[in-house]
Amino acid sequence: MPDEPAPDALTQLRWLRTPEGTAATARAAALLAEGADLLTGLARLRAEVGADHAGPAWELARLRARARPVFGADADVLFLTADTLEQAGRPALAARRAQRLLSGEVDSAVDLGCASGTDTVALARAGATVLAVDTDPLARELTAANAEALGVADRVWVVAGDAVELVDAARGGEVAGCAAAVLDPARRAGGRRQLDPDRWSPPWSTVTTLLDRAPHAVVKVAPGLDHERVPAGVEAEWVSAGGSIVEALLWGRAVSTVWRRASLVHGDDALELTAEADPGPAPSGPVRGWLHEPDPAVIRSGLVSLVAVDVGATLVDPTIAYLTADAATDSPWVSSYRVDEVLPFNLKKLRALLRTRGVGRVVVKKRGSAIEPETLARQLRGEGAGTATVVVTRVAGAPTALVCDVR
Ligand SMILES: C[S@@+](CC[C@H](N)C(=O)[O-])C[C@H]1O[C@@H](n2cnc3c(N)ncnc32)[C@H](O)[C@@H]1O
């Protein structure tokens, strides 16, 4: 387990939870809302609450303001550090996961690495009694503070514990006596992303042991996780919002219902695309009048061929996740571009073509090409008033530019 944190981090957090700390943080929030800069704000706070407390109160108010767009009104009472805020998942997604995990008879859950308690709170709000575990004392204090601040402390127990040991000791489908488990391994160390799952904390071996021993489990994994790693019988889900992957999940065997799931979340709504088994690759064919770019959740989950059938499309290349079809589509699973020109990729010829079409500004997209989109967009800039999207990719193996949506 890590050493005790610098005593002042824990001491400061405990002070921030007192009525004086609450008042100082409210004062800092008011100064921030008035637009006070760091120096002025801190000077005013120091004069009002003393030099020792001004910094922590200012920092907490600043983190709460940063958390507000994602955490909503909860952010105003949350206890956070810069680290735990960075590691925290979105509460709306944690709520969605908790709902699914707790369906059926399951009413207790262990949060194996609670950080500042986003999952703990979501599980408690979904009705479970929750055992929140972390090796880090500061994380435990934050989770206890947040469970209290958000009114779920009566259903939450926060304890020191090592997830590796708890998972190794799991028996009868339970972990630490709980019927369900959430594992969200730390995938950064020293500020750097750990690409190798064996270097996550807890490591990959704990992920697979958990999925083997706890049928009611969900594990948050890196979006780039190799499909080969997904154990048999375990559903893998990729979730996107606003065109980007926001999380990737592995579901325990009692919760898994399909092979893969792509979910597109928008506020409280989610669209889902699923496959019982690997649907295999989509066929490829020549570029037609429309280019349909699948949502990243579809691509990552290996479900491009389902969308291809749905929109009557083929791949532009067997190795590239761009679809092409004769018609536009209103499928929510793709972004579409009308193809105006297709030419072998060549900067001079591309520039000349754009000039003749009166295009002065382009947005460049790429897939399967080493070009740098911003650089190419600059190189293609011209005098014309028209705009276009230039897609640089491989078509049947050849570097190709697709000039789309010329306006
Ligand atoms: C990515 S964070 C969890 C974030 C949390 N689910 C949320 O959304 O706010 C991972 C947490 O696991 C804790 N952790 C890492 N290894 C652990 C272990 N072996 N046992 C218990 N906790 C561990 C870290 O201290 C950290 O707080």
Side-chain angles (χ1 to χ4, degrees), residues 295-373:
D295 184 89
V298 172
I299 297 174
R300 283 298 324 154
S301 59
L303 301 180
V304 171
S305 57
L306 296 190
V307 174
V309 170
D310 190 39
V311 304
T314 45
L315 291 171
V316 298
D317 183 284
T319 62
I320 302 285
Y322 278 136
L323 292 167
T324 183
D326 292 322
T329 170
D330 56 7
S331 166
W333 297 106
V334 296
S335 307
S336 300
Y337 306 86
R338 195 193 63 247
V339 180
D340 291 295
E341 308 272 358
V342 182
L343 64 162
F345 180 69
N346 173 299
L347 183 57
K348 258 184 163 169
K349 288 190 176 149
L350 187 53
R351 204 187 269 138
L353 174 82
L354 293 170
R355 295 300 161 269
T356 53
R357 301 287 306 253
V359 172
R361 275 184 175 274
V362 298
V363 170
V364 174
K365 298 177 65 63
K366 68 145 186 178
R367 208 170 274 263
S369 162
I371 62 117
E372 215 280 296

Side-chain angles (χ1 to χ4, degrees), residues 84 87-89 97 111-119 133-136 139 161-164 184-187 201-202 220:
T84 56
Q87 296 191 71
R97 267 183 278 128
D111 184 1
L112 295 161
C114 54
S116 53
T118 316
D119 282 292
V133 172
D134 210 293
T135 42
D136 178 0
D162 185 334
V164 177
D184 179 8
R187 298 187 297 276
S201 181
K220 252 171 98 175

Side-chain angles (χ1 to χ4, degrees), residues 31 36-47 54-56 58-59:
L31 287 165
D37 62 30
L38 175 68
L39 284 181
T40 324
L42 267 182
R44 300 257 298 270
L45 262 186
R46 265 196 209 108
W58 181 266
E59 173 70 355

Side-chain angles (χ1 to χ4, degrees), residues 95-107:
R96 182 173 175 267
R97 267 183 278 128
Q99 289 273 330
R100 181 167 175 199
L101 186 66
L102 298 175
S103 51
E105 300 289 285
V106 176
D107 60 0

Side-chain angles (χ1 to χ4, degrees), residues 134-199:
D134 210 293
T135 42
D136 178 0
L138 191 56
R140 295 195 298 272
E141 185 79 13
L142 288 165
T143 296
N146 288 333
E148 187 181 295
L150 297 174
V152 293
D154 58 336
R155 286 202 292 285
V156 171
W157 283 261
V158 184
V159 297
D162 185 334
V164 177
E165 290 170 10
L166 292 172
V167 170
D168 279 345
R171 294 288 178 274
E174 295 192 341
V175 183
C178 296
V182 172
L183 174 60
D184 179 8
R187 298 187 297 276
R188 301 183 84 88
R192 295 183 49 198
R193 193 167 296 184
Q194 296 294 325
L195 296 177
D196 178 359
D198 294 329
R199 301 177 77 103

Side-chain angles (χ1 to χ4, degrees), residues 276-291:
E276 304 276 330
D278 186 349
S284 31
V287 178
R288 294 182 267 160
W290 287 84
L291 187 76

Side-chain angles (χ1 to χ4, degrees), residues 31-113:
L31 287 165
L32 269 174
E34 285 165 20
D37 62 30
L38 175 68
L39 284 181
T40 324
L42 267 182
R44 300 257 298 270
L45 262 186
R46 265 196 209 108
E48 293 173 24
V49 305
D52 285 352
H53 297 321
W58 181 266
E59 173 70 355
L60 180 56
R62 203 181 58 80
L63 291 172
R64 284 177 175 176
R66 217 202 294 161
R68 209 169 199 290
V70 173
F71 283 79
D74 283 357
D76 298 346
V77 295
L78 279 180
F79 293 88
L80 299 157
T81 61
D83 243 20
T84 56
L85 179 56
E86 188 188 306
Q87 296 191 71
R90 301 181 186 203
L93 298 178
R96 182 173 175 267
R97 267 183 278 128
Q99 289 273 330
R100 181 167 175 199
L101 186 66
L102 298 175
S103 51
E105 300 289 285
V106 176
D107 60 0
S108 61
V110 57
D111 184 1
L112 295 161

Side-chain angles (χ1 to χ4, degrees), residues 3-4 15 19 40 105 201 236 249 254 258 276 387 404:
D3 299 335
E4 281 287 309
W15 179 79
T40 324
E105 300 289 285
S201 181
L249 307 170
V258 292
E276 304 276 330
T387 59
C404 304

